[in-house]
Amino acid sequence: MKNARKRNLSLLLYCLPALIVYLAFKLFPAISGMYYSLTNWNGLNKSYEFVGPSNFLELLTDDYFWDSMWFTFKYVIVSVIIANVAALTLAVAIESCRRAKGLFRTLFYMPNMISMVIGGYMWMFIFTKVLYYLADNWGWSFLDHSWIGDPNYSFIAIIIVAAWGAVGYLMIIYMAALQGVPANLKEAAAIDGANAWQNFWKIIFPLISHAITICVFWSLNSGFQVFDVIYTLTGGGPGRATQSVAINIYQEAFRGNIRYGYATAKSTVLFFIVLIVTAIQLKLTGRKEQEL
């Protein structure tokens, strides 16, 4: 018992610096934000009034906020599916290679090493300059679209850039899970006459379900908080057509008529929505893992 307590105490001491940072820069701002959501503070003045639930009542009739919420849900659904399918496909393809695995890992992981703000401006140049050049000079007329100015194509552009930035990270997780699948199970299935497709779905896929849970969890949370990709590509435009909840909160808190209390009310609503969606996802995927 005494040895166990010493071990737990030593582990706690090792984790203490990270715990202090988390409490100071994550937990405390979140809790204080919930308090400010009940005030009319503008983020600058020392004096403010407690207004109770009035910010949340106003939120119920805020069409711009609910439009941005709908766009965020649409973005999350599409980006989670595309990023995870692409990452798993790349992981399987690279693990199937006999040579140059390290090269392919590096190439596909490199976008994750670049800030998405920088990546967004890089892709802005591609969408506004390079694609038009290819359409005009190479005859690729299918690229001749207003990728930023047209709401339909701007959504596609956002998904492309978001997937480009996320696939490499998810791919590494899937590759680690694939490497943990026992080779003898795959060999036994092949001997029994299973082809590559059957081997993947019947043997490999169930054994990497824990990685799928992790990747879907990560991509869901990052999807609901998307800011940098949209901010650098479209700024939420044209108009408000590609405005995510994070962009909407940012503009409420720091642009125009600054209403920090109202913005934190929006943040609180987003927090609980993400909490509910994440809990449902973990419940469903956890039950699926138990069945397998």
Side-chain angles (χ1 to χ4, degrees):
M1 181 67 71
K2 184 177 289 186
N3 291 333
R5 287 181 179 176
K6 288 183 177 179
R7 184 172 63 253
N8 292 337
L9 181 60
S10 63
L11 291 174
L12 180 61
L13 290 175
Y14 279 116
C15 296
L16 190 60
L19 181 61
I20 292 173
V21 172
Y22 175 78
L23 292 173
F25 295 101
K26 286 285 188 178
L27 193 59
F28 175 74
I31 295 174
S32 62
M34 291 181 184
Y35 168 74
Y36 287 125
S37 68
L38 302 173
T39 69
N40 64 354
W41 188 38
N42 66 0
L44 298 174
N45 293 338
K46 293 182 179 180
S47 60
Y48 53 85
E49 297 178 0
F50 184 82
V51 296
S54 62
N55 285 330
F56 294 95
L57 294 176
E58 181 182 349
L59 193 59
L60 295 176
T61 58
D62 190 336
D63 292 335
Y64 289 140
F65 175 76
W66 295 112
D67 288 343
S68 67
M69 183 64 73
W70 163 245
F71 174 83
T72 303
F73 268 103
K74 183 172 68 170
Y75 167 85
V76 167
I77 293 171
V78 176
S79 64
V80 167
I81 294 173
I82 291 179
N84 281 276
V85 170
L88 182 56
T89 303
L90 285 174
V92 172
I94 294 174
E95 282 299 306
S96 302
C97 294
R98 295 184 177 180
R99 297 181 179 179
K101 286 186 181 181
L103 175 62
F104 288 123
R105 289 189 196 122
T106 303
L107 288 176
F108 287 109
Y109 186 77
M110 280 182 66
N112 197 70
M113 301 170 64
I114 302 173
S115 167
M116 284 307 297
V117 174
I118 298 174
Y121 284 120
M122 288 169 52
W123 277 94
M124 169 67 82
F125 175 77
I126 293 172
F127 286 125
T128 58
K129 302 293 183 180
V130 176
L131 296 188
Y132 285 128
Y133 176 84
L134 295 176
D136 293 339
N137 296 278
W138 290 28
W140 294 3
S141 57
F142 64 92
L143 296 176
D144 191 9
H145 300 290
S146 179
W147 290 93
I148 304 301
D150 188 323
N152 296 319
Y153 289 102
S154 58
F155 179 74
I156 296 174
I158 290 169
I159 293 297
I160 290 173
V161 179
W164 171 80
V167 164
Y169 179 78
L170 300 176
M171 179 194 70
I172 295 298
I173 298 175
Y174 283 126
M175 290 180 69
L178 290 170
Q179 291 170 5
V181 177
N184 60 336
L185 293 179
K186 295 185 285 186
E187 293 172 358
I191 292 173
D192 289 339
N195 56 35
W197 187 254
Q198 293 171 329
N199 202 327
F200 176 77
W201 282 111
K202 300 295 183 180
I203 305 298
I204 299 174
F205 191 79
L207 293 176
I208 63 170
S209 58
H210 59 286
I212 296 172
T213 300
I214 294 170
C215 290
V216 171
F217 172 81
W218 181 87
S219 52
L220 268 176
N221 280 272
S222 61
F224 275 109
Q225 301 174 56
V226 61
F227 178 86
D228 44 11
V229 174
I230 297 176
Y231 183 79
T232 53
L233 279 179
T234 66
R240 294 176 182 259
T242 61
Q243 186 179 82
S244 66
V245 176
I247 295 288
N248 183 273
I249 293 171
Y250 166 77
Q251 292 184 345
E252 195 72 57
F254 302 109
R255 294 288 182 89
N257 185 21
I258 298 174
R259 300 178 64 192
Y260 191 85
Y262 187 48
T264 53
K266 293 182 177 182
S267 300
T268 303
V269 171
L270 176 62
F271 167 76
F272 284 108
I273 290 175
V274 174
L275 182 65
I276 293 170
V277 172
T278 302
I280 294 172
Q281 180 256 323
L282 291 176
K283 182 76 172 179
L284 293 176
T285 54
R287 184 183 303 170
K288 188 66 176 177
E289 286 183 28
Q290 291 177 1
E291 292 175 356
L292 295 172

